């Protein structure tokens, strides 16, 4: 045996002694084997002190051998991959693993902050609420920084996570959670019926408790039996075995959340592999076979490194061939722990003493122990421990107190079934007197529980129950389950006398090791009236650490029960919520991060625009050309001014494909439009388009756009970019729910059609060179809409619409021709200096023209507010009409839409500024409205604005103040009509 | 949550958007009490503990509005029917 594995047994265990794994802990190099966890490898190398506790910085060792670990939390990896609070007990050892202890300064062995121990009187129950209340100013400046440095866990990485994460969905008939004895049998019987089975287990090796079992099952060693079943399952086409996968939540409709640690057992993920994968598993039935967690007994000094759960001692000896110590003592209240010690002894461990709280223990157990030379102390209790790491115990017996040497103390207070997932739909666990533990109560629909998770303690019984539960689940889904044999294992009687806390023991006795909550803290909570479980939890922080109190909840409850004199079930139950085990933010985010947060939608002319040097901007999910800078332009304003001037002087083009486009067909489209727009559409002639405004049923404006009638029963509607999906959903609701009698069919064609607007006095000349037909004023008058072809035969829709106030057209072609159309228009317009423009120039021109847009369609404005009052028909009903007449929405004092110009034309206007009458104090009561949009108008040579101000249209010419406390500005503005350019509309009718 | 769409089969709730109470009827705008009736229609909602009929729109599927019956206490879904009855135009 090499010095580096000095606590390793020479034979046995489920490790591969031919595959060594080098690793380091706090910079010291060690070696372990394939099949080790970090915890087993540390123990094999004699490392017993692995961390400092949360509040008091007490030295802590490895306490368990599984997911319940409260103590052995380490930082794993370095740099950007550094991961705090990793449980050494479930960390699969890999070559090159680097782990660091947490919560110590300057070093693990010599921790300056262990002084906190002397502050213990101040850090007890409710310390957050009591000690640091006064003076209030001290909290932020003094108390909190000190507490945060002293109390805390590991450090998260500061750099961006270099790994990636995936999300996936799986479907199955039966999901089996846990691959221990019950889970393996459940999966096997269900699988043999033909059901599609997923078997998920958080360990890297299926088998659960079988892997720590010393005896035989089915005439072979228990781990070999487990491996055989796992291999059969893996070979079946209808089964997926998922190791390293924790099912962490039960959601509605048979949906389960699971985290697969794809690469956590590697230093760096393999190429193209994610670090972790978040699964959504949809299962028709599920079997929870999550096993049970051993719980400790609370006594003075029970947190000293060397104190460990009895089952964990068994696991390290049997599965990892590691002796946690040279001289083991047991402190227990049940027979199971005795058998673990006897088996460990048989495997090569040295168990010297058994301390049992019970006065009477089965004679055959005593005989077996004594036959192996183990000293038995009945009716005895451990009252104190000694040593930096454990050296000796003080034991109180009927005849007095004696000191016993031991470097490892195995502790067992019984077992608590892992009922967590059964609580995720609000089910409350029920108390079972026989095993003194909570067992599952009402389970989520479709979930059955099998084996130890159900409170069945005994290997043979777990195998039988797993097989039966798996069979029942398959039968419930209509599968025929073939006859199955379950290996016989004789279970010894399970005898336990409930025992929780050694009263009168010496030194701090910890209930919750991770949050440093002592039995005394529970007593303080009781004394101060925080007796309900929920208050106890929050007052003492019991069970609120990352281990969610797996080893402490029931014990804390039991101690409170003994103080109040009530029974445990009367005192309360522990309720568990998802997630069962911590899930990293990276896994929850999956690939939805940074630029990949959501898909980016590109316009059909995106590549063309890029070639033109466009600067892009996100508008909703779309990436649109914002402006097209040219060499020598000093800022965006210069570029935008050039673009606007070019359009107004000659011609420009812009991609408007992002508008929502909806195809409407049927006999009743006109009637339908009449009911969804405030203005009339029934009389719209074929070949014409009309601007329309839609309200929500509550009377406020929802959206605006144009609808064109292409043929008697065929219309196309445009919506704003932002509301495309919302309007479509609304129209479907109107049609399917409100007026199913109407003959109308809707289809979204936003993706199918590219649409390009050209505007400016030369727009018709450009269009004429691209369109195949007549585009004269007679053939295509203002608000005309015709179908035709462009570019020698490409199907097209031509609309004579204008957002800019200039002569304008929109040309729609199938999306695949969009880029070609842009190029054709550029070529056709070359002699006119055609200029591509972006949405900034578009915005400037619409403000100059006085059109409303997203800033005015804010969801808080009425048609009347926006100047559409006279557009609203009085001859028909439409969505929102009745509610729009409410006094509050019809109030003539409401802010209404007008234009604004600075009195001093050199001043810049600011959107968001609030209007105040001259002489009025800047108070909410005097608020007259606010500026919605502003732009520098190249046409006028100064800033202009649009906004909403009380009785605006009646106040043209009046001067008010635009008050902007955010930017600290206040300027005088004059109210004017919205429409700074060509108010008569001569240009667009040209 | 899983919604059994009559057109697409059982689908995850993420594919749908929710609107609310499906037992309401849009009031007659010509009625004398239309204003009050619309107020109730737009704003007043019961909050039952138990079976609730509600509108769900299969946005990432067949684009149909469905009348779904959901138990508000358990999220158990006992049925989903198309808003439009058969025989009506689709
Ligand atoms: Zn559907």
């Amino acid at each position: 045996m090499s010095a580096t594995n000095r606590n390793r047994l020479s034979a046995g265990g489920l490790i591969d002694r031919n595959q060594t794994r080098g690793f380091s802990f706090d910079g010291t190099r060690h070696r372990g084997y394939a099949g080790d966890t970090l915890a087993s490898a540390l123990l094999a190398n004699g490392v017993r002190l692995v961390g400092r506790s949360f509040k008091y910085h007490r030295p802590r060792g490895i306490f368990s051998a599984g997911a319940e670990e409260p103590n052995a939390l380490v930082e794993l990896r370095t740099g950007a991959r550094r991961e705090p609070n990793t449980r050494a007990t479930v960390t699969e050892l890999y070559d090159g693993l680097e782990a660091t202890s947490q919560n110590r300064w300057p070093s693990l062995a010599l921790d300056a902050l262990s002084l906190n121990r002397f502050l213990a009187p101040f850090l007890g129950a409710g310390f957050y609420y009591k000690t640091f209340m006064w003076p209030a100013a001290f909290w932020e400046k003094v108390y909190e920084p000190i507490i945060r440095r002293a109390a805390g866990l590991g450090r998260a990485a500061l750099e961006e996570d270099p790994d990636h994460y995936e999300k996936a969905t799986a479907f199955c008939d039966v999901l089996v959670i846990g691959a221990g004895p019950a889970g393996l049998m459940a999966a096997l019987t269900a699988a043999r019926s033909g059901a599609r089975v997923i078997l998920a287990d958080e360990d890297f090796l299926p088998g659960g408790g079988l892997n720590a079992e010393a005896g035989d099952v089915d005439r072979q060693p228990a781990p070999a039996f487990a491996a055989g079943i796992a291999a059969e399952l893996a070979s079946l086409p209808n089964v997926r075995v998922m190791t390293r996968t924790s099912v962490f939540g039960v959601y509605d409709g048979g949906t389960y959340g699971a985290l697969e640690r794809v690469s956590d057992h590697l230093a760096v993920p393999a190429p193209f592999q994610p670090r972790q994968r978040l699964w959504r598993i949809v299962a028709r039935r599920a079997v929870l076979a999550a096993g049970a967690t051993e719980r400790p007994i609370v006594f003075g000094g029970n947190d000293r490194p060397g104190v460990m759960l009895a089952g964990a001692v068994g696991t390290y000896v049997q599965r990892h061939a590691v002796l946690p110590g040279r001289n083991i003592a047991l402190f227990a209240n049940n027979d199971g722990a005795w058998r673990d010690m006897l088996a460990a002894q048989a495997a090569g461990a040295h168990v010297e003493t058994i301390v049992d709280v019970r006065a009477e223990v089965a004679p055959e157990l005593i005989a077996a122990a004594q036959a192996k030379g183990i000293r038995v102390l009945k009716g005895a209790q451990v009252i104190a421990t000694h040593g930096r790491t454990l050296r000796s115990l003080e034991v109180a017996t009927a005849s007095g107190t004696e000191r016993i040497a031991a470097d490892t103390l195995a502790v067992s207070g019984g077992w608590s079934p892992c009922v967590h997932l059964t609580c995720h739909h609000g089910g409350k666990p029920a108390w079972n007197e026989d095993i003194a533990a909570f067992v599952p109560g009402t389970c989520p629909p479709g979930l059955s529980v099998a084996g130890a998770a159900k409170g069945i303690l005994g290997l043979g019984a777990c195998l039988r129950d797993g097989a039966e539960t798996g069979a029942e689940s398959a039968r419930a889904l209509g599968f025929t389950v073939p006859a199955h044999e379950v290996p016989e294992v004789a279970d010894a009687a399970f005898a336990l006398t409930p025992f929780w806390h050694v009263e009168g023991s010496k030194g701090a006795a910890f209930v919750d090791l991770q949050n440093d909550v002592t039995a005394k803290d529970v007593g303080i909570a009781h004394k101060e009236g925080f007796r309900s479980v929920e208050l106890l939890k929050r007052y003492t922080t019991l069970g609120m650490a990352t281990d969610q109190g797996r080893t402490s909840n029931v014990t804390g409850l039991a101690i409170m029960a003994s103080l109040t004199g009530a029974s445990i079930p009367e005192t309360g139950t522990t309720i568990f919520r998802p997630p069962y085990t911590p899930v990293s933010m990276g896994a929850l985010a999956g690939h939805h991060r940074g630029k990949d947060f959501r898909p980016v939608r590109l316009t059909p002319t995106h590549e063309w625009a890029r070639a033109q040097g466009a600067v892009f901007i996100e508008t909703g999910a779309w990436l649109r050309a914002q402006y097209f800078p040219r060499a020598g332009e000093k800022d965006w304003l210069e570029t935008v001014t050039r673009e606007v001037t070019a359009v107004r002087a000659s011609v420009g083009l812009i991609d408007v494909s992002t508008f929502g486009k909806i195809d409407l067909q049927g006999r009743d489209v006109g009637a339908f439009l009449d009911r969804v727009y405030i203005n009339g559409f029934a009389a719209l002639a074929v070949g014409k388009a009309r601007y329309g405004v839609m309200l929500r049923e509550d009377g406020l404006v929802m959206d605006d756009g144009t609808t064109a009638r292409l043929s008697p029963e065929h219309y196309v509607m445009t919506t704003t970019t932002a509301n495309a999906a919302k309007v479509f959903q609304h129209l479907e609701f109107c049609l399917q729910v409100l007026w199913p009698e109407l003959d109308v069919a809707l289809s979204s064609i936003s993706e199918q059609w590219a649409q390009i607007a050209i505007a400016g006095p030369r727009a018709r000349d450009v269009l004429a060179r691209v369109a195949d037909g007549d585009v004269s004023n007679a053939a295509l008058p203002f608000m005309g809409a015709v179908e035709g072809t462009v570019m020698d035969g490409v199907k097209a829709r031509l609309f004579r619409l204008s957002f800019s106030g200039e002569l304008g057209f929109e040309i729609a072609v199938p999306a695949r021709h969009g880029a070609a159309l842009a190029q054709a228009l550029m070529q056709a317009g070359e002699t006119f200096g055609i200029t591509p423009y972006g949405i900034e120039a578009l915005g400037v021109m619409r403000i100059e023209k006085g059109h409303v847009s997203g800033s005015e369609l804010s969801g808080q404005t009425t048609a009347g507010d926006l100047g559409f009052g006279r557009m609203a028909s009085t001859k028909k009903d439409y969505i929102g009409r009745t509610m729009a007449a409410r006094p509050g929405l019809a109030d003539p004092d409401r802010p209404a839409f007008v234009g604004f110009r600075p009195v001093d034309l050199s001043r810049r206007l600011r959107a968001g500024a609030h209007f105040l009458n001259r002489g009025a104090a800047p108070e909410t009561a005097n608020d007259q409205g606010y500026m919605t949009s502003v732009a520098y108008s190249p046409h006028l040579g100064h800033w202009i604005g649009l906004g909403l101000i009380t009785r605006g249209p009646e106040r043209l010419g009046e001067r008010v103040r635009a008050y902007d406390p955010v930017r600290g500005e206040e300027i005088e503005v004059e109210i004017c009509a919205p429409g700074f350019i060509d108010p008569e509309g001569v240009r667009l009718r040209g | 949550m899983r919604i059994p769409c009559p057109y697409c089969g059982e689908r995850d709730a993420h594919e749908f958007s929710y609107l609310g109470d499906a037992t309401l009827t849009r009031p007659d705008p010509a009625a004398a009490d239309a204003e009050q009736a619309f107020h109730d229609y737009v704003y007043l909602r019961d909050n039952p503990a138990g079976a609730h009929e509600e509108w769900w729109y299969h946005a990432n599927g067949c684009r149909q509005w469905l009348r779904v019956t959901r138990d508000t206490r358990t999220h158990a879904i006992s049925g989903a029917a198309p808003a439009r009855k058969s025989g009506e135009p689709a």
Side-chain angles (χ1 to χ4, degrees), chain A residues 469-518:
Chain A
T469 311
E472 270 167 27
S473 300
R475 274 191 220 110
L477 297 172
F479 292 94
T480 305
V481 180
H484 50 275
E485 280 182 18
V486 180
E488 283 296 328
V489 177
D491 289 330
F494 181 82
L496 170 145
T497 299
F499 187 85
W500 310 98
H501 173 213
V502 178
E503 285 175 46
S505 57
K506 300 182 197 167
F510 287 86
V511 181
D512 182 335
L513 290 161
Q514 198 179 2
N515 260 355
D516 269 356
V517 179
T518 62

Side-chain angles (χ1 to χ4, degrees), chain A residues 114-465:
Chain A
S114 64
L115 284 174
N116 274 12
R117 271 185 281 173
F118 303 108
L119 295 174
F122 305 102
L123 293 174
F127 78 98
Y128 276 109
Y129 310 110
K130 290 190 287 205
T131 315
F132 303 111
M133 287 305 286
W134 184 91
F138 267 40
W139 176 251
E140 258 180 59
K141 294 192 180 104
V142 182
Y143 299 142
E144 193 179 349
I146 291 175
I147 293 171
R148 288 221 179 275
R149 184 162 354 121
L153 295 170
R155 305 161 303 153
L158 298 173
E159 297 116 275
E160 192 181 341
D161 190 337
D163 298 329
H164 69 273
Y165 298 79
E166 278 182 3
K167 293 188 184 188
T169 305
F171 296 83
C172 64
D173 295 313
V174 181
L175 167 67
V176 179
I177 303 159
L184 284 173
M185 293 309 291
L188 189 64
T189 46
R192 284 176 176 169
S193 77
R196 290 176 308 158
V197 173
I198 292 177
L199 173 62
D201 192 279
E202 53 189 0
D203 205 328
F204 53 90
L205 186 68
L210 288 166
N211 291 330
E213 185 66 36
D216 280 5
V217 177
D218 206 13
R219 293 176 300 280
Q220 53 188 323
F225 168 76
I229 293 184
E232 178 178 346
L233 286 168
S235 74
L236 295 173
N238 54 328
V239 178
R240 180 202 286 264
V241 178
M242 300 173 73
T243 53
R244 302 184 177 103
T245 304
S246 303
V247 176
F248 60 78
V250 186
Y251 303 94
D252 295 309
T255 304
Y256 294 77
L259 183 72
E260 182 184 8
R261 286 172 291 274
V262 181
S263 308
D264 280 4
H265 61 296
L266 305 169
V268 173
F272 310 110
Q273 286 297 308
R275 175 74 180 275
Q276 296 174 343
R277 191 178 282 132
L278 189 74
W279 285 91
R280 178 195 297 266
I281 300 175
V282 181
R284 297 170 71 199
R285 304 275 314 192
V287 177
L288 177 67
T293 301
E294 196 168 21
R295 58 194 186 218
I297 294 172
V298 175
F299 56 90
N302 63 336
D303 66 328
R304 201 172 302 282
V307 178
M308 185 182 285
L309 292 169
V313 171
T315 297
Y316 290 121
V317 172
Q318 308 294 346
R319 178 171 170 177
H320 302 289
V322 169
L323 298 178
R326 295 308 173 94
N327 180 3
I328 300 172
L330 171 70
F331 180 32
N333 67 343
N334 65 82
D335 291 359
W338 284 59
R339 290 193 204 97
D340 283 342
M341 290 308 110
L342 293 173
Q345 179 94 326
H350 174 66
V351 181
E352 198 162 290
T353 317
I354 292 181
V355 180
D356 199 308
V357 299
R358 297 173 294 178
E360 296 303 325
V361 178
E364 63 270 22
L365 276 179
I366 294 174
Q370 284 171 345
K372 295 196 169 169
I374 302 173
R375 183 173 170 226
V376 174
L377 296 170
K378 289 189 294 179
Q381 300 176 3
V382 176
I383 58 167
T385 63
H386 299 283
R388 212 172 129 273
T389 62
L390 188 68
R391 287 273 171 267
S392 64
L393 325 167
E394 275 179 61
V395 180
T397 63
S399 54
T401 300
E402 71 174 285
R403 199 150 168 150
I404 289 168
D407 66 356
T408 299
L409 178 60
V411 185
S412 179
W415 291 80
S416 296
C418 292
V419 300
H420 304 68
L421 294 183
T422 69
C423 303
H424 284 187
H425 282 207
K428 284 198 165 101
W431 184 253
N432 180 316
E433 286 292 346
D434 294 341
I435 59 169
F438 285 104
V439 294
T442 310
C443 288
L447 180 84
S448 315
V449 189
K454 192 155 104 185
I456 294 174
L457 302 176
L459 178 55
C462 283
L463 292 167
R464 283 192 301 279
D465 189 55

Side-chain angles (χ1 to χ4, degrees), chain B residues 5-9 11 15-16 58 61-64 66:
Chain B
C5 176
Y7 299 102
C8 310
R11 296 300 169 110
E15 294 183 7
F16 298 79
H58 199 183
C62 58
R63 303 186 334 235
Q64 298 302 300
L66 306 177

Side-chain angles (χ1 to χ4, degrees), chain A residues 171 252-253 255 280 282 697-698 728-729 732-733 736-738 740 742 746 877-879 882-883 886-887, chain B residues 1-2 12 14 17 19 26 29 34-35 38-39 41-43 55 57 63-65 74-75 83-84 88-89:
Chain A
F171 296 83
D252 295 309
T255 304
R280 178 195 297 266
V282 181
E697 194 68 279
D698 67 2
F728 187 75
Q729 179 175 332
E732 286 285 18
F733 180 81
Q736 294 176 33
V737 175
L738 301 182
L742 293 181
L746 301 176
D877 179 45
Y878 51 86
I879 295 281
T882 305
M883 292 298 273
R886 283 184 284 167
Chain B
M1 216 154 63
R2 311 272 302 165
D12 195 277
H14 286 87
S17 359
L19 190 67
R26 188 169 188 266
E35 200 166 318
F38 265 95
H39 171 270
Y41 171 68
V42 170
Y43 292 115
W55 293 120
Y57 176 63
R63 303 186 334 235
Q64 298 302 300
W65 280 94
T74 61
H75 288 183
R84 242 189 310 226
E88 287 167 355

